[in-house]
Amino acid sequence: MKVLAIVLAGGEGKRLMPLTADRAKPAVPFGGIYRLIDFVLSNLANANYLQIVVLTQYKNHSLDRHISRTWRLSSMLGNYVTPVPAQQRLGPRWFAGSADALFQNLNLIYDELPDHVIVFGADHIYRMDPRQMVEQHIDSGADVTVAAIRQPLQLADQFGVIETDPAGRRIVAFREKPKDAVGLADAPDQVYASMGNYVFRTQSLIEALREDALDPGSKHDLGGNIIPMFVKSGGAEVYDFAHNVVPGSTERDRGYWRDVGTLDAFYDAHMDLISVHPVFNLYNDRWPIYTGQDPLPPAKFVHNDGDRIGHALESLVSPGVIVSGGTALRSILSPGVVLHSHSHVEDSVLMGCVKVGRGAIVRRAIIDKNVVIPDGARIGFDLDYDRQRFTVTDSGVVVIGKNEIVER
């Protein structure tokens, strides 16, 4: 069976502002050296799905550059990861929704003539072996298979919820953020939440996209319009993510999946990386997360004189980092970060080339690229003052955008 993978990477990412002020959401850096899109592309590549189209739309320059520099596969073998921007093939308009994005790019499917089409989102943090989902899909003969993760029943109103028949496979309802969801037959305190990952039988997908395009009342959304079509016809099945076994995974990190669509969720996902036994383990070399890195030197820790000691504890430290007499606790230091003497960074995410001046203190913050924290500055202590200058989340995380000027 021939399979084409399509990654939907056109999201504007408004809830991640200011991190998405000049980049697409899937291009936002994560975990020190990665971009959000690296996680879905790594899952597909590790599963040997090597014909991948990435549909982009908003602020796509940094995303396109990252893909073209990092994700070069062997064209001689017919493999590729190709970014495809909105081409306005059907007139001068942007994508009206995820289904419209596919409809406007049906030529890509016609060119490859696959038997099945994988459609995955680009902005979640997880490991998954999609072969297992595709195998279930093919064996079942379904028109579409929807990946779902089990979530507590009381959180049902935060997700697109999938309801199944008593056997637990065929989807009988696909409801958006219901207030009256019913628990699963084998776990009454849980529901199936859609992960935004789908496998389609190609001809069924084409027919559904054409029908949807002719409906003036449609929002042209996969979850809101296309999947309900297949539910109505009885051709939709669910894939339980709990059954997915990734090589090298442990019981602690198995089944990990995070939607990092908000700043607080983005911050929390970073904090999941830094414990001794992390909830999400970046060190699984049997299912690696691939990315591209600049040729930077190893991280360096200097000064060991009284209270002027350069060190980092319970932290991720990337290449090119210099901790020069400063301290990092429970933090992520991205390439090129410099901590000067007597600076202190804790519970924070510092992106590329952030400089923290002498004696400056940073607490519970996300600081985007190229920001300079001046000597003696304090970030994350007076949230009322920080709100006048920066973005502060509901949980009190201070977010400083790329290239912003920070006054002491």
Side-chain angles (χ1 to χ4, degrees):
M1 292 289 184
K2 185 175 182 179
V3 176
L4 173 68
I6 298 178
V7 176
L8 299 176
E12 193 170 359
K14 291 181 179 180
R15 294 183 299 165
L16 279 183
M17 287 288 287
L19 304 181
T20 51
D22 65 353
R23 60 167 76 94
K25 181 180 176 183
V28 171
F30 185 87
I33 63 173
Y34 306 99
R35 305 276 185 145
L36 290 180
I37 198 170
D38 289 329
F39 292 84
V40 64
L41 293 180
S42 296
N43 287 328
L44 293 168
N46 285 325
N48 207 36
Y49 294 129
L50 301 176
Q51 294 179 322
I52 305 170
V53 172
V54 181
L55 301 185
T56 66
Q57 181 163 233
Y58 297 102
K59 305 172 186 174
N60 61 323
H61 170 66
S62 62
L63 179 59
D64 289 350
R65 182 179 60 186
H66 175 71
I67 293 172
S68 62
R69 290 177 58 189
T70 302
W71 288 94
R72 295 191 297 268
L73 305 184
S74 174
S75 59
M76 183 174 68
L77 299 178
N79 303 329
Y80 57 83
V81 178
T82 301
V84 179
Q87 303 175 78
Q88 300 187 343
R89 295 174 61 88
L90 303 178
R93 63 181 178 87
W94 295 107
F95 299 146
S98 53
D100 185 54
L102 294 177
F103 180 71
Q104 290 197 42
N105 287 281
L106 279 177
N107 61 297
L108 303 174
I109 297 176
Y110 295 144
D111 288 346
E112 292 294 343
L113 298 176
D115 298 292
H116 302 276
V117 179
I118 294 173
V119 180
F120 277 16
D123 45 22
H124 300 122
I125 305 301
Y126 67 114
R127 276 191 177 90
M128 177 184 185
D129 184 350
R131 292 172 297 193
Q132 297 165 32
M133 180 179 176
V134 171
E135 288 168 3
Q136 176 189 305
H137 171 76
I138 293 173
D139 290 344
S140 71
D143 293 311
V144 63
T145 299
V146 183
I149 185 168
R150 294 170 180 248
Q151 294 287 352
L153 177 62
Q154 63 267 27
L155 299 181
D157 59 357
Q158 300 180 24
F159 300 99
V161 172
I162 296 168
E163 297 178 0
T164 65
D165 64 6
R169 285 274 292 270
R170 187 172 65 86
I171 300 175
V172 297
F174 193 95
R175 305 171 63 198
E176 191 65 30
K177 300 180 179 179
K179 300 290 186 182
D180 56 348
V182 178
L184 301 176
D186 63 346
D189 60 338
Q190 297 178 342
V191 294
Y192 279 140
S194 172
M195 298 169 61
N197 290 352
Y198 313 100
V199 181
F200 293 93
R201 192 167 62 86
T202 300
Q203 192 56 40
S204 299
L205 173 62
I206 292 172
E207 292 171 0
L209 292 175
R210 287 174 172 169
E211 180 180 342
D212 177 73
L214 297 174
D215 182 0
S218 173
K219 294 183 178 179
H220 309 296
D221 181 71
L222 282 176
N225 301 106
I226 300 299
I227 302 305
M229 282 189 196
F230 291 119
V231 171
K232 186 176 181 180
S233 66
E237 289 212 351
V238 67
Y239 174 75
D240 188 347
F241 184 53
H243 297 159
N244 196 262
V245 180
V246 174
S249 64
T250 66
E251 284 303 315
R252 181 163 172 78
D253 68 349
R254 180 179 173 183
Y256 181 94
W257 179 87
R258 292 292 182 272
D259 180 351
V260 290
T262 67
L263 291 169
D264 278 327
F266 182 82
Y267 175 85
D268 291 342
H270 274 93
M271 296 301 106
D272 287 342
L273 304 176
I274 56 177
S275 64
V276 176
H277 300 291
V279 182
F280 184 73
N281 180 21
L282 291 174
Y283 299 90
N284 180 355
D285 57 6
R286 294 182 60 193
W287 199 269
I289 305 300
Y290 300 103
T291 193
Q293 297 187 57
D294 293 328
L296 295 171
K300 181 169 69 171
F301 301 80
V302 294
H303 297 305
N304 185 15
D305 181 19
D307 62 351
R308 188 189 184 201
I309 302 173
H311 65 292
L313 299 172
E314 296 182 320
S315 298
L316 294 180
V317 182
S318 305
V321 169
I322 299 176
V323 182
S324 178
T327 298
L329 298 177
R330 298 179 301 277
S331 295
I332 288 83
L333 308 183
S334 301
V337 165
V338 177
L339 306 187
H340 289 286
S341 293
H342 303 292
S343 62
H344 185 93
V345 176
E346 67 178 61
D347 300 316
S348 294
V349 179
L350 273 54
M351 296 187 185
C353 299
V354 169
K355 305 295 189 289
V356 182
R358 294 175 65 91
I361 304 177
V362 177
R363 184 174 68 182
R364 281 180 54 80
I366 302 169
I367 304 179
D368 207 342
K369 297 172 69 172
N370 304 327
V371 171
V372 177
I373 306 298
D375 295 351
R378 295 167 68 88
I379 305 295
F381 288 83
D382 185 344
L383 295 184
D384 290 334
Y385 179 51
D386 287 336
R387 285 190 184 94
Q388 298 173 26
R389 306 181 290 168
F390 315 119
T391 300
V392 178
T393 71
D394 292 340
S395 71
V397 177
V398 179
V399 186
I400 303 177
K402 182 179 178 182
N403 296 318
E404 281 195 44
I405 304 298
V406 178
E407 302 292 343
R408 181 172 173 177

